[in-house]
Amino acid sequence: MAANDNHEKSPSTKLIYSRCQAVQAENVTVLEGGTAEISCRLQNYDGSIVVIQNPRRQTLFFNGTRALKDDRFQMVLFTPRLVRITLTNVSVSDEGGYFCQLYTDATHHQVATLSVSVPPETPTIEVKQEAVEGAEVELTCLSPRSKPPATLRWIRDRREIPGVVSQQDNGKTVSVSNTIRLPVERKDNGAAISCEASHPALGGQKRIRHYRLDVHFAPTVRIIPPPGILREGDSLSLTCSVTGNPLPRNVLWSRINDTIPERAEFSGPTLQMSRLSQTHNGTYLCQAQNNYGRAADHYTLLVYDPGAVVETHSAMPYAVIGGILALLVFTVICVLIITIWCSVRQKGSYLTHEASGLDEHGEVQEAFLNGNDVAQGKKEYLL
């Protein structure tokens, strides 16, 4: 009976011991393309069978012996306390739970979850249609693959431009896009704009794609005139300054209502003429065009005869002197007229008073002869 008791006790003791065995697994996160370490920690290991399986429940190692022909998996440590394998060149297809199994009287297992993080590559920028002055341009920043989804931001002049963000699942990765629409003018041509991609796997760093706006617009034309006066025998060089996007390949020189002189030479946008004469006079026109418009500018050439120029300058003082003399003569005439008018007016006043005195003397004499009272006559005169 005692023997039977000992026989029953021994298995009971083994069962208790086996229950004390345990296995622990640690979760792992690794960047795509990196190396993952999958560890199984053992407690009270007594030499039982240890099996490691992949997420598809395929056995990778059986007590330290390779069971699956995949050289990316390597057994790097097998001790009574720790079993560790490595997986190189990790991809998102390797994600999932890796089983650490301990086969005793009761099977124990733990799952080590492998997570693969996929940082975004430098995003790309797509232009839906060419940018034209006065219209809008649509730009899309695209990050085709990331996990978790990348964050995309448009930046111009250190300020964020809000856009429309969309995501699309691609299996275990996500495609992210950010689209903006910008009104553009010719002054925006060449303006810098960028798209930034941020992601937890990048830490504080960013993947940035730079872009310069390419705004198409009609050309502008300006003829750069020569300084000073052009005389016979001089040389003339006219440069036609042209802007535009795309830049016109050629400029067209012409002469309004006449032909370009035979001895004229063209060098790119420059028109050159030597030994100028009166026959070169006229209006010269420079024209340029691209797919978005046409522009022109003109220059009127007037070649002076040096002799005529000297004669003109020498005649100027005489004209001034003649004007001064005419003014003096006019002033003298005005003074004489005023003087004569004043003299005539004073003389007329004197004659009037003299005639009045003679009339009074005659009346007195007549009264004396008629025997009348002088005072009475005077009174009647006064009345």
Side-chain angles (χ1 to χ4, degrees):
M1 187 70 180
N4 290 339
D5 290 339
N6 291 336
H7 180 71
E8 292 177 359
K9 184 178 180 180
S10 179
S12 177
T13 303
K14 184 176 181 181
L15 180 60
I16 294 173
Y17 180 75
S18 65
R19 287 179 179 177
C20 293
Q21 291 189 98
V23 61
Q24 295 178 343
E26 299 175 355
N27 295 333
V28 180
T29 300
V30 64
L31 294 180
E32 184 179 42
T35 299
E37 291 186 347
I38 301 172
S39 300
C40 301
R41 297 186 180 278
L42 306 176
Q43 294 180 358
N44 301 322
Y45 178 65
D46 64 352
S48 300
I49 297 174
V50 177
V51 174
I52 301 178
Q53 295 179 328
N54 64 16
R56 292 179 292 277
R57 301 308 297 264
Q58 296 172 323
T59 300
L60 300 174
F61 292 94
F62 185 90
N63 262 9
T65 303
R66 182 187 299 277
L68 184 67
K69 293 183 179 180
D70 188 342
D71 293 336
R72 296 185 305 146
F73 292 96
Q74 297 291 330
M75 175 68 69
V76 295
L77 188 64
F78 193 104
T79 67
R81 292 187 177 182
L82 180 63
V83 177
R84 177 174 293 163
I85 65 173
T86 60
L87 171 60
T88 58
N89 194 22
V90 177
S91 68
V92 291
S93 61
D94 297 319
E95 273 193 331
Y98 287 78
F99 295 84
C100 297
Q101 297 188 145
L102 178 61
Y103 287 93
T104 61
D105 291 341
T107 302
H108 303 274
H109 75 270
Q110 288 290 328
V111 178
T113 301
L114 173 63
S115 299
V116 179
S117 180
V118 181
E121 297 294 332
T122 301
T124 59
I125 294 178
E126 297 178 354
V127 184
K128 185 175 181 180
Q129 58 187 10
E130 63 185 22
V132 180
E133 179 184 19
E136 286 187 337
V137 60
E138 182 177 305
L139 303 176
T140 298
C141 179
L142 180 63
S143 175
R145 189 171 178 272
S146 60
K147 180 179 178 295
T151 300
L152 301 180
R153 298 168 65 237
W154 283 101
I155 303 295
R156 181 179 182 182
D157 297 331
R158 298 183 180 180
R159 295 182 179 179
E160 182 177 358
I161 304 174
V164 179
V165 179
S166 62
Q167 298 182 1
Q168 181 178 353
D169 290 334
N170 299 324
K172 292 189 175 184
T173 61
V174 178
S175 173
V176 183
S177 66
N178 188 335
T179 301
I180 58 174
R181 295 180 64 88
L182 297 175
V184 291
E185 301 294 338
R186 67 176 58 197
K187 64 182 178 61
D188 298 315
N189 187 44
I193 191 170
S194 61
C195 178
E196 299 179 351
S198 56
H199 191 269
L202 298 176
Q205 298 182 350
K206 298 176 182 178
R207 301 279 170 85
I208 303 175
R209 176 70 66 181
H210 298 282
Y211 179 77
R212 289 193 176 274
L213 293 175
D214 184 21
V215 181
H216 293 203
F217 54 90
T220 58
V221 174
R222 185 175 70 89
I223 296 177
I224 302 175
I229 298 175
L230 294 172
R231 296 176 173 82
E232 288 189 348
D234 289 347
S235 296
L236 172 66
S237 178
L238 293 176
T239 299
C240 189
S241 176
V242 181
T243 62
N245 189 24
L247 186 67
R249 295 183 179 180
N250 301 304
V251 298
L252 176 63
W253 283 100
S254 61
R255 188 179 179 186
I256 297 178
N257 299 327
D258 206 340
T259 59
I260 296 289
E262 295 182 357
R263 291 180 297 176
E265 298 180 354
F266 301 95
S267 176
T270 302
L271 171 63
Q272 296 176 337
M273 292 182 286
S274 58
R275 299 180 183 179
L276 293 177
S277 66
Q278 298 287 327
T279 60
H280 290 86
N281 288 346
T283 300
Y284 291 82
L285 191 68
C286 175
Q287 302 179 72
Q289 67 176 359
N290 59 15
N291 296 333
Y292 303 93
R294 173 182 297 182
D297 192 16
H298 68 275
Y299 170 78
T300 300
L301 173 62
L302 182 60
V303 179
Y304 289 94
D305 181 0
V309 173
V310 172
E311 183 178 353
T312 301
H313 284 285
S314 62
M316 289 181 61
Y318 293 103
V320 174
I321 293 173
I324 295 174
L325 290 176
L327 180 62
L328 290 175
V329 171
F330 176 77
T331 304
V332 171
I333 292 173
C334 291
V335 171
L336 288 175
I337 292 173
I338 294 173
T339 301
I340 293 171
W341 180 78
C342 291
S343 176
V344 170
R345 183 176 181 184
Q346 290 178 357
K347 185 176 182 181
S349 175
Y350 172 77
L351 292 175
T352 302
H353 287 290
E354 184 178 3
S356 175
L358 289 175
D359 290 341
E360 182 180 356
H361 177 72
E363 291 179 356
V364 172
Q365 185 176 7
E366 183 179 357
F368 178 77
L369 292 175
N370 294 330
N372 296 327
D373 188 6
V374 176
Q376 183 66 29
K378 183 67 175 179
K379 180 179 181 181
E380 292 176 356
Y381 173 75
L382 292 174
L383 292 174

